[in-house]
Amino acid sequence: MKNFDRVYLELTNSCNLSCSFCAINKSPIRNLPIEHFDRILSQISGFTKTVSPHILGEPLSHPDFNQFITLCRKYSLNVNLATNGTLIAVSYTH
């Protein structure tokens, strides 16, 4: 089986900014349920060492972001976080 440098997962398609360089999202806001994230991590943990929780939305805006990080630790996965940085102070408390 092939190993991947990283696997990209979209936690949410919601963002708290409207940057001119980003695509306009007209889809309804969706957040990945924590149970789905856990199942995905259990399936990919043998094929990658890094998860990048970002595609279109701002991952720190997901209400369960801290639980996502905890699950990544559970599966010994590194997190490569792409963020606009505006929610760092309020999003992650450990």
Side-chain angles (χ1 to χ4, degrees):
M1 261 294 162
K2 178 176 170 59
N3 286 333
F4 300 94
D5 290 331
R6 76 180 52 133
V7 172
Y8 291 87
L9 297 171
E10 184 175 83
L11 301 184
T12 182
N13 64 348
S14 173
C15 186
N16 59 322
L17 298 179
S18 297
C19 301
S20 61
F21 54 83
C22 281
I24 296 172
N25 181 11
K26 295 181 180 179
S27 300
I29 293 174
R30 292 183 309 269
N31 291 317
L32 181 65
I34 194 75
E35 300 82 18
H36 291 178
F37 189 71
D38 189 13
R39 187 170 358 132
I40 291 167
L41 292 185
S42 73
Q43 295 172 352
I44 67 169
S45 63
F47 302 102
T48 189
K49 294 189 184 302
T50 304
V51 173
S52 187
H54 170 76
I55 297 176
L56 293 177
E58 169 54 51
L60 296 178
S61 70
H62 194 293
D64 297 321
F65 180 76
N66 288 339
Q67 290 177 294
F68 287 112
I69 297 300
T70 300
L71 284 172
C72 287
R73 283 191 191 129
K74 172 183 169 183
Y75 292 102
S76 300
L77 292 166
N78 298 316
V79 177
N80 181 342
L81 183 64
T83 177
N84 62 36
T86 60
L87 302 173
I88 290 175
V90 297
S91 293
Y92 185 70
T93 55
H94 189 262

